[in-house]
Amino acid sequence: MAEEPAEIRRGRGQALIDLAREDLELYGVGELEERIEALQAEIARSRAQMQRKQAGRAAADALFSKRD
């Protein structure tokens, strides 16, 4: 039995690069509105993740900072 070839792993951020290169002329107004909503949701998700990371960093800094 032949094994299926493994999927090629895409680089980090490659999906965003591919998305930015997409030809928007092919979309209708409604589709563009849906695309904008999806992108705004992704921005909100990215910001929430960034805030979690900043909070974790602040907690670590507070824990390991020098105390006089």
Side-chain angles (χ1 to χ4, degrees), residues 3-68:
E3 290 185 30
E4 291 184 27
E7 288 186 34
I8 297 173
R9 186 172 180 183
R10 292 173 29 155
R12 194 180 308 184
Q14 188 61 45
L16 182 59
I17 292 168
D18 293 343
L19 190 65
R21 291 180 179 161
E22 212 170 352
D23 185 5
L24 299 180
E25 287 294 325
L26 304 174
Y27 290 93
V29 172
E31 292 169 319
L32 289 169
E33 288 173 348
E34 289 174 7
R35 180 183 174 99
I36 289 169
E37 288 174 13
L39 290 169
Q40 288 172 334
E42 181 61 16
I43 290 167
R45 187 175 81 95
S46 296
R47 285 191 172 143
Q49 181 65 28
M50 188 170 60
Q51 289 172 348
R52 283 191 293 275
K53 288 180 177 278
Q54 288 170 334
R57 176 62 188 249
D61 287 346
L63 181 63
F64 295 109
S65 67
K66 290 184 181 179
R67 295 188 181 154
D68 294 328

